[in-house]
Amino acid sequence: MTLHHYPSYKPSGVEWLGDVPAHWEVRPGRAAFQEVVERDNPDEQLLSVTIARGVIAQEILLQDSSQKDSSRLDKSDYKLVCPGDIVYNKMRAWQGAVGMSAFRGIVSPAYIVQRPRLGSEPSYFHHLVRLPAFATEAERWSYGIASDMWSLRPEHFKMIQFCLPPLHEQRAIVRYLDYVDRRVRRYVAAKRKLIALLEEERQAVIHQAVTRGLDPNVPLKPSGVEWLGDIPAHWEIRRLRNSILEAVNGVWGADPDGINDLACVRVADFDRHRLRVRTPIPTVRAIGPSERRGRTLLFGNLLLEVSGGGEQQPVGVVILYDHDIPSVCSNFIQKITLRSGYDPQFLTFLHGALYAVRINVRSIKQTTGIQNLDTSSYFSEAVAFPPLQEQHAISEYLLEATLRIETAITRARRQVELLEEYRTRLIADVVTGKLDVRAAAPAD
């Protein structure tokens, strides 16, 4: 059903809301919410307020991340939260750490609990406070000496202006957005499943080519390496280090007398799907002459991520540097120069196969929450090398074969992005009255 505007509008008087339907009220937070401070419920489940997901059980948050439980043992002063309460992290409200709780539980004393007053629909306010525009308004009312110290105090939350449709419209808005959200989630889930299948296909194509070659009828022999299995009889088993002429650590770049004149490749510049360095390279740093020596990147170098990483994306990814831009790499990266007789593109795919089967994981050392790759251990891994001409042929084949898959992945990702952008824009337009959903909302 096509959505239309309301018959008439009036100025709300506040930038983040703009014009609102003429029959809607605009009231300060003190009129819409009541701060609730109920303590001494230490046995209730612990809740967290996240930027990405709003209010969730901390147990779920810890399951999905490497974070540790930092709550106090004595939770007697933690605040009680009831279903329907709006909760925000006063230090991160300006970043979007706010939402309605669907659960009963307790939160840190640093969180603020606001209970919608009688005669309102809490889920409507959830959509309203999750808007990026509300985060901007929360930032405007937050105070502190630096951004990481900004705090949205309860007395200032009470002064933020909110739009208040009649209760039956609030409920209609919630029903409509729930209906749209279910459809969007189904579509996004289907697209993400397709992306996962395409990525599996891409990895299978790479793995087959770098372990068996391109000739399906080639005689095979046991490799003696578990992850390789049988390999073409004329291929040789060697250590990764046999392909490396030189491995040099990158540099942070802090020449006090220099100028920001040299591009510096960071892990953030890695295009992990195409195993390339993205261009343009956005970071430019002051790199002294002594630091440049031996570190300038050349076409055909490999870049190995040796520090950083995480549970979902461990260190050890290898990217091909195929640019002529004068640059160096950051201190989280190691520059690898290959010996003659090795094709850089083939080695990129080979390292990618090692990464996909998590061979690199056994070389990872965890220190203070940061992963570091033990390159000596990693370079000792045994792999299979075909003759140089066959490396070239495999590289050319994989570039063409993976491009088709990558194109399909990129298209699917863009469809997901566009749909999520549409959902965000639609929610903003509906909850602030730019679009009228009364006739389109499903019945109770």
Side-chain angles (χ1 to χ4, degrees), residues 21-83:
H23 64 288
W24 286 21
E25 294 184 49
V26 177
R27 305 286 296 279
R30 69 172 67 88
F33 302 94
Q34 177 183 4
E35 185 186 0
V36 178
V37 182
E38 298 180 28
R39 306 185 191 273
D40 200 22
N41 292 275
D43 296 328
E44 297 285 352
Q45 69 169 326
L46 194 60
L47 306 178
S48 289
V49 185
T50 67
I51 295 171
R53 299 164 64 180
V55 183
I56 62 173
Q58 189 178 88
E59 181 182 11
I60 296 174
L61 177 66
L62 297 179
Q63 285 175 355
D64 295 345
S65 74
S66 58
Q67 297 182 43
K68 305 300 181 184
D69 183 358
S70 59
S71 62
R72 305 176 193 167
L73 288 176
D74 180 8
K75 297 181 174 62
S76 59
D77 64 340
Y78 277 44
K79 298 177 182 178
L80 179 67
V81 176
C82 294

Side-chain angles (χ1 to χ4, degrees), residues 81 121 132 208 278 350 387 411-412 417:
V81 176
E121 171 55 57
Q208 175 71 17
R278 292 191 180 98
L350 179 59
R411 185 185 305 115
E417 289 172 3

Side-chain angles (χ1 to χ4, degrees), residues 22 24 30 59 61 102 107 111 123 127 133 151 169 190 192 213 223 233 246 278 304 321 331-332 350 368 389:
W24 286 21
R30 69 172 67 88
E59 181 182 11
L61 177 66
V107 293
Y111 291 179
S123 294
H127 290 298
S151 175
E169 285 189 46
R192 287 183 173 154
S223 69
E246 184 182 44
R278 292 191 180 98
L304 169 64
Y321 187 77
N331 57 325
F332 276 30
L350 179 59
T368 63
Q389 282 302 114

Side-chain angles (χ1 to χ4, degrees), residues 187-365:
Y187 182 87
V188 168
K191 285 296 178 183
R192 287 183 173 154
K193 183 177 181 180
L194 171 63
I195 290 168
L197 292 172
L198 288 168
E199 288 178 336
E200 288 178 11
E201 179 188 357
R202 178 184 181 277
Q203 198 52 54
V205 169
I206 292 173
H207 190 277
Q208 175 71 17
V210 300
T211 60
R212 292 293 182 90
L214 305 179
D215 182 358
N217 301 313
V218 67
L220 301 175
K221 66 179 180 183
S223 69
V225 180
E226 183 178 357
W227 81 275
L228 284 173
D230 293 343
I231 61 172
H234 63 289
W235 288 22
E236 295 183 14
I237 295 294
R238 303 175 196 159
R239 302 293 178 184
L240 268 176
R241 68 164 63 93
N242 286 84
S243 66
I244 298 171
L245 177 65
E246 184 182 44
V248 180
N249 290 328
V251 61
W252 172 251
D255 179 14
D257 300 319
I259 57 173
N260 291 338
D261 64 348
L262 195 63
C264 185
V265 178
R266 303 174 304 140
V267 173
D269 301 320
F270 284 10
D271 184 343
R272 293 172 180 262
H273 300 289
R274 301 206 65 196
L275 302 178
R276 296 283 191 282
V277 172
R278 292 191 180 98
T279 52
I281 301 169
T283 304
V284 178
R285 289 179 176 161
I287 310 295
S290 62
E291 293 176 317
R292 296 176 189 229
R293 196 169 299 118
R295 289 192 172 96
T296 303
L297 300 178
L298 301 175
F299 190 100
N301 286 151
L302 302 185
L303 303 182
L304 169 64
E305 180 191 10
V306 294
S307 187
E311 292 179 0
Q312 301 303 316
Q313 240 176 23
V315 293
V317 66
V318 173
I319 299 293
L320 177 66
Y321 187 77
D322 60 350
H323 307 301
D324 293 318
I325 304 167
S327 56
V328 294
C329 57
S330 80
N331 57 325
F332 276 30
I333 300 171
Q334 197 168 84
K335 166 197 167 185
I336 296 175
T337 304
L338 297 176
R339 297 181 184 276
S340 61
Y342 293 91
D343 177 71
Q345 185 67 73
F346 175 81
L347 262 296
T348 306
F349 285 123
L350 179 59
H351 280 280
L354 284 164
Y355 185 86
V357 296
R358 293 296 189 259
I359 295 299
N360 63 312
V361 167
R362 55 192 180 207
S363 301
I364 291 175
K365 310 299 181 185

